[in-house]
Amino acid sequence: MTSLIPDVDTPSAPWTGRFDGDGPEHRRWWQAVAPLPAVTGPAGAAQEAPQPAARPAAILGFASDEGVRRNKGRTGAAAAPEALRRALGPLAFHLDRAVYDAGDVAVAGGDLEGGQARLGRAVASLLDTGHLTVVLGGGHETAYASYLGVGASRAVTEGKRLGVLNLDAHFDLRDEPVASSGTPFLQMARAEAAAGRGFRYAVAGISEANNTRALFETADRLGVRYLLDEDCSEERVRDFVASFLADIDVLYLTIDLDVLPAAVAPGVSAPAAYGVPLPVISAVCRQVARSGKLLHCDVAELNPEFDLDSRTARVAARLVDTLLR
Ligand SMILES: N=CN[C@@H](CCC(=O)O)C(=O)O
Ligand SMILES: [Mn+2]
Ligand SMILES: [Mn+2]
């Protein structure tokens, strides 16, 4: 099968999960996900099912922890796309949309920038062919790769106002000589300025104790909207997200799993001492899914090496499932 997206270098691995039967009433993710079909290629399994109404989703893995390594964190996130597919596979499939797996972009030999460029081209091509794109990171350097795709998509280049909503304990606005998992949103701010566009960036879950005064000053200078972790009640976050959504046309949502409490998400580079409760994060995902503005999303920072009973991967899988409802 010819790939729609030449920049993807690893073919999709087969999805697996529990088998309860072939009928739609038994369907789980592993049975519903189909390889991304070529433009004129044979129909995938998802096309054999009754045609769902919603925009098809396309999943891409970004197998990278080069950004985490450069940011002096705990490496291992390069194995996350595989762990996330393994956690998604057994989930019961209740979605009203087709889901395709477009494979992985792997960062090799420390070439983070090359990998980000390739993922960006793949995302832009999938967006421009009508998909809701979902990237399974990768360290949070995934966000800049995602942005390259979103920023190059027709939706954004033709004038839709883009908003970037980050659920994260960290701003990731570091001003460093090299790109890393700590720099993606400053890179975006600069790229948006170069494109003559405003940068609309909001973060929920910021840990005051884990972001220096310099980072808060950068956030203020860039007009970043943020909510501290201790202020993330369900109601406050709902209002925060609603007011952000009101000012944009299309949303890129990025979930850094270290926004969750360490007991819920132990498998990350920097586990959160405080963290935003899972029901709040899950409510944001439902709110965003219902808004009709979600253009692209990703989950980042899963490190399977430090996970316990795949707890973090299971939580991430459930959030992805919620986002695609
Ligand atoms: N992706 C970003 N990570 C955090 C890491 C913080 C830490 O290691 O304590 C940051 O750079 O701020
Ligand atoms: Mn973080
Ligand atoms: Mn982050």
Side-chain angles (χ1 to χ4, degrees):
M1 188 182 286
T2 317
S3 176
L4 261 181
I5 36 179
D7 286 299
V8 176
D9 46 18
T10 306
S12 327
W15 288 60
T16 56
R18 180 189 164 113
F19 178 74
D20 287 342
D22 280 319
E25 72 277 23
H26 299 302
R27 187 168 294 136
R28 295 174 187 274
W29 267 71
W30 71 274
Q31 290 162 300
V33 175
L36 185 75
V39 186
T40 54
Q47 286 176 329
E48 285 156 21
Q51 276 304 296
R55 196 159 39 121
I59 293 177
L60 270 164
F62 189 55
S64 167
D65 54 16
E66 175 60 16
V68 177
R69 191 190 67 74
R70 293 182 188 180
N71 200 28
K72 306 175 187 72
R74 307 192 293 180
T75 54
E82 193 189 327
L84 288 165
R85 286 188 180 91
R86 218 175 317 121
L88 274 164
L91 298 187
F93 191 82
H94 296 288
L95 311 187
D96 184 27
R97 67 171 86 240
V99 180
Y100 297 110
D101 187 352
D104 284 351
V105 169
V107 169
D111 181 19
L112 174 59
E113 289 73 12
Q116 287 172 321
R118 280 187 293 132
L119 189 90
R121 286 194 292 268
V123 167
S125 141
L126 288 164
L127 287 171
D128 289 348
T129 48
H131 299 86
L132 166 55
T133 42
V134 182
V135 169
L136 310 176
H140 218 174
E141 64 272 23
T142 300
Y144 188 63
S146 278
Y147 162 79
L148 288 176
V150 168
S153 72
R154 271 204 302 275
V156 173
T157 55
E158 290 179 359
K160 293 231 164 78
R161 293 168 305 165
L162 171 67
V164 180
L165 175 60
N166 182 19
L167 307 179
D168 199 336
H170 310 99
F171 283 116
D172 293 347
L173 286 168
R174 293 181 183 281
D175 192 358
E176 304 279 355
V178 288
S180 76
S181 61
T183 63
F185 302 97
L186 188 61
Q187 293 176 268
M188 286 180 210
R190 288 176 174 158
E192 284 297 276
R197 299 189 293 247
F199 181 51
R200 298 174 198 84
Y201 175 40
V203 200
I206 289 294
S207 162
E208 197 167 29
N210 294 93
N211 292 269
T212 59
R213 195 171 302 157
L215 289 164
F216 277 95
E217 282 168 8
T218 304
D220 289 341
R221 182 170 51 78
L222 293 171
V224 177
R225 305 186 202 185
Y226 62 86
L227 259 188
L228 297 180
D229 51 6
E230 296 188 16
D231 295 329
C232 281
S233 65
E234 201 162 323
E235 194 186 355
R236 292 274 305 267
V237 177
R238 192 192 315 118
D239 292 347
F240 177 80
V241 172
S243 103
F244 189 60
L245 284 170
D247 291 343
I248 62 167
D249 300 312
V250 289
L251 182 74
Y252 157 34
L253 173 70
T254 178
I255 304 175
D256 179 331
L257 294 162
D258 71 27
V259 71
L260 292 154
V264 176
V268 293
S269 174
Y274 192 92
V276 179
L278 178 58
V280 176
I281 297 300
S282 185
V284 173
C285 292
R286 279 194 301 278
Q287 183 179 7
V288 160
R290 276 198 304 264
S291 75
K293 294 189 176 182
L294 183 62
L295 181 70
H296 171 80
C297 58
D298 60 36
V299 285
E301 291 284 326
L302 169 65
N303 185 333
E305 225 175 282
F306 294 98
D307 211 355
L308 298 171
D309 295 330
S310 305
R311 216 181 279 177
T312 317
R314 289 173 201 271
V315 164
R318 179 146 173 173
L319 295 174
V320 169
D321 178 68
T322 300
L323 278 168
L324 297 185
R325 295 290 179 104

